[in-house]
């Protein structure tokens, strides 16, 4: 039986552990935190927040894989009346429909955008400057970047398409992403995976002892662990606001900012279990530029709240703010694609998995795809090594 060590028990680490165990390997997962899940954890307590607004996109490869294994669990569908409360801020006011120019960028049959050009330049040629800017701002829901227009056109186009598909790709596991993580952990457990929490790995050799290792941490943590300064890639920086307010009829479901980047979503619209009765849970993310502070982002979130949630200030029952810096997955600059990111295979039996490495997909799909690649390389390589011996 092959042995394999996985460092990190987030979405990538659990995907790798399950995949390897299903292939018959003996797997050990080391997780630094006292619980599994990483950035896919859901807070315990009365307000069940994910780390910022989270949606599981059904168009990705992880969806079918999770479904096949019954790991998604019950979903929280958006009631049609709530879905109709999606609002867009455009030219300072809230509206229900996107500007016509933006729709030009969603036409079927539009050629694939180029990798080498920035999104703003490419999209302006199709939809004019205003349409391109509105589309770039909308795409920030899946990018978490303050200036999507400056990123590779191909990269942004894919996210824009995925985030605007009808019927929507965004799905919500009832009770938050932790319910998926719990099911993944149970599956791993049933397959005989050993999972050690509160177990930070500082050096590779002490734990791995000859077995292939999948480093399924954030890229920052992998850089420190592997002492490899080349392990860097761009990511977003976004202010996060979690808010509970007393229920009031007529609140928006979503407010998406087309004048700048920003997204607020009332998650209790689809899942009442996320906050106590009589309260609504709103989570927002406002991408901020390098020279801007968290307070700048929160101030923009409050402008959106003023528009979409009248009287919210007098209704607040709980509030929390934070920053996600480099925690929202890879973004690709013009001239680069996922293939240019740090490679999965690091040599000497070490493989990287995570959302900033060389694998395709949107957000957590990169973690998923890289985990599958890492395991197939690890087991394939190991099997070859045994044969050679
Ligand atoms: C604000 C925000 C919103 C997001 N929204 C979405 C969304 O809507 N849809 C989507 O698909 N994705 C979304 N994501 C991205 C998604 O959360 C991540 O892509 C995914 O959770 C990353 O999983 P991972 O396992 O690669 O990394 P992580 O979740 O970071 O897991 C790495 C794990 O490794 C552990 N670790 C680190 N160092 C060590 C060590 N030395 N020893 C042992 N363990 C270690 C950590 O404790 C952690 O548990 C969002 C992320 C953020 C921050």
């Amino acid at each position: 039986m092959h042995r394999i060590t996985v460092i990190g028990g987030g979405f990538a680490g659990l995907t790798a552990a399950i995949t390897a165990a299903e292939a018959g390997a003996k797997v050990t997962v080391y997780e630094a935190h006292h619980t599994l899940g990483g950035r896919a954890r859901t807070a315990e307590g009365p307000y069940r927040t994910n780390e910022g607004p989270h949606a599981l996109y059904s168009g990705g490869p992880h969806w079918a894989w999770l479904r096949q294994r019954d790991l998604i669990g019950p979903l929280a569908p958006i009631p049609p009346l709530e879905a109709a409360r999606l609002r867009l801020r455009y030219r300072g006011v809230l509206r229900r429909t996107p500007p016509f120019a933006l729709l030009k960028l969603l036409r079927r049959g539009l050629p694939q955008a180029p990798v080498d050009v920035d999104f703003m330049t490419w999209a302006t040629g199709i939809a004019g400057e205003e349409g391109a800017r509105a589309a770039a701002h909308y795409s920030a829901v899946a990018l978490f970047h303050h200036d999507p227009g400056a990123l590779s056109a191909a990269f942004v186009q894919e996210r824009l398409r995925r985030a605007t598909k009808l019927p929507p790709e965004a799905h919500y596991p009832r009770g938050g992403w932790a319910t998926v993580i719990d099911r993944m952990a149970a599956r791993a457990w049933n397959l005989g995976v050993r999972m050690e929490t509160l177990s930070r790995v500082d050096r590779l050799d002490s734990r791995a002892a000859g077995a292939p290792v999948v480093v399924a941490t954030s890229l920052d943590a992998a850089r420190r662990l592997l002492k490899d300064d080349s392990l860097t890639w761009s990511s977003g920086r976004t202010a996060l606001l979690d808010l509970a307010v007393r229920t009031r009829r007529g609140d928006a479901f979503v407010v998406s900012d087309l004048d700048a980047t920003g997204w607020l979503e009332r998650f209790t619209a689809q899942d009442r279990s996320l906050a106590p009765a009589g309260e609504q849970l709103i989570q927002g993310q406002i991408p901020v530029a390098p020279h801007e502070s968290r307070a700048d982002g929160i101030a923009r979130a409050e402008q959106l709240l003023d528009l979409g949630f009248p009287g919210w200030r007098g209704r607040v029952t709980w509030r929390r703010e934070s920053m996600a810096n480099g925690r929202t997955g890879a973004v690709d600059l013009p001239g680069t694609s996922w293939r240019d990111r740090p490679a999965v295979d690091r040599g000497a039996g070490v493989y990287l998995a995570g959302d900033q490495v060389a694998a395709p997909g949107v957000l957590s799909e990169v973690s998923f795809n890289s985990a599958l690649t890492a395991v197939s390389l690890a087991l394939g390589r190991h099997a070859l090594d045994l044969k050679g011996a």
Side-chain angles (χ1 to χ4, degrees):
M1 191 188 256
H2 302 151
R3 281 185 306 120
I4 186 162
T5 300
V6 178
I7 302 173
F11 188 59
L14 288 171
T15 302
I18 293 169
T19 308
E22 284 177 351
K26 195 167 165 359
V27 187
T28 307
V29 177
Y30 297 104
E31 164 55 49
H33 202 260
H34 72 280
T35 53
L36 298 164
R39 282 167 277 164
R41 274 194 288 265
T42 304
E44 287 174 7
Y47 304 107
R48 294 191 51 83
T49 48
N50 294 316
E51 186 177 336
H54 261 78
L56 199 56
Y57 288 87
S58 58
H62 59 339
W63 181 264
W65 187 91
L66 290 166
R67 263 261 132 109
Q68 245 170 22
R69 290 162 180 76
D70 195 23
L71 299 179
I72 296 184
L75 291 167
I78 305 164
L81 268 179
E82 294 287 8
R85 296 201 176 108
L86 187 148
R87 298 286 181 269
L88 305 162
R89 174 163 80 163
Y90 187 59
R91 296 180 180 164
V93 293
L94 282 196
R95 48 189 281 168
R96 289 162 193 261
T97 51
F100 178 70
L102 187 157
L103 296 176
K104 290 185 185 169
L105 288 160
L106 305 179
R107 271 199 323 252
R108 276 201 192 162
L110 206 65
Q112 204 178 326
V115 168
D116 294 347
V117 176
D118 68 86
F119 179 79
M120 215 28 219
T121 303
W122 172 77
T124 299
I126 293 163
E129 198 181 321
E130 257 198 298
R133 203 172 299 286
H137 290 152
Y138 189 86
S139 72
V141 62
L143 278 163
F144 303 91
H145 190 270
H146 68 285
D147 188 9
L151 303 174
S152 160
F155 177 79
V156 178
Q157 183 193 34
E158 185 190 354
R159 276 126 197 96
L160 181 65
R161 276 202 176 136
R162 298 280 304 274
T164 52
K165 261 204 190 133
L166 288 174
E169 276 200 28
H171 287 78
Y172 306 90
R174 191 174 290 284
W177 275 42
T179 59
V180 178
I181 293 297
D182 288 349
R183 283 172 173 251
M184 292 176 85
R187 166 99 184 146
W189 178 266
N190 289 336
L191 288 163
V193 173
R194 216 174 100 204
M195 289 175 281
E196 298 201 4
T197 52
L198 280 177
S199 194
R200 176 174 297 280
V201 177
D202 299 317
R203 284 191 7 246
L204 276 194
D205 48 1
S206 59
R207 309 281 171 132
V213 183
V214 176
V215 177
T217 65
S218 66
L219 195 61
D220 282 347
R223 182 173 60 248
R224 290 190 294 272
L225 187 61
L226 299 177
K227 298 186 177 41
D228 181 349
D229 290 341
S230 74
L231 297 182
T232 58
W233 197 260
S234 307
S235 180
R237 182 167 170 267
T238 193
L240 300 177
L241 175 64
D242 300 332
L243 197 68
V245 294
R246 278 191 299 280
T247 301
R248 174 189 179 280
R249 279 164 68 96
D251 275 349
F253 162 46
V254 162
V255 180
S256 169
D257 198 354
L258 303 185
D259 292 340
T261 50
W263 181 274
L264 297 182
E265 183 163 345
R266 181 166 54 89
F267 280 82
T268 34
Q270 60 267 42
D271 189 349
R272 283 293 327 144
S273 76
L274 302 179
E279 295 179 42
Q280 302 288 322
L281 177 67
I282 302 164
Q283 291 201 265
Q285 63 100 358
I286 310 289
V288 287
H291 67 273
E292 288 181 308
S293 65
R294 179 172 96 185
D296 294 325
I298 297 298
R300 287 215 297 279
E302 292 187 346
Q303 288 171 12
L304 297 181
L305 283 164
D306 287 339
L307 290 169
F309 302 85
W312 68 272
R313 290 169 204 271
R315 294 191 278 138
V316 173
T317 52
W318 174 77
R319 175 175 177 141
R320 189 176 57 188
E321 298 170 11
S322 58
M323 272 299 264
N325 195 1
R327 293 175 65 77
T328 47
V331 296
D332 296 340
L333 297 171
T336 65
S337 78
W338 62 264
R339 292 181 179 80
D340 302 299
R341 297 180 201 148
V344 171
D345 190 347
R346 308 310 303 170
V350 177
Y351 304 90
L352 274 190
D355 59 4
Q356 281 176 282
V357 308
V362 171
L363 297 166
S364 64
E365 293 166 22
V366 182
S367 293
F368 173 82
N369 281 325
S370 57
L372 293 196
T373 306
V375 168
S376 77
L377 289 171
L379 295 183
R381 176 71 52 83
H382 194 63
L384 288 179
D385 286 351
L386 288 179
K387 246 194 209 164

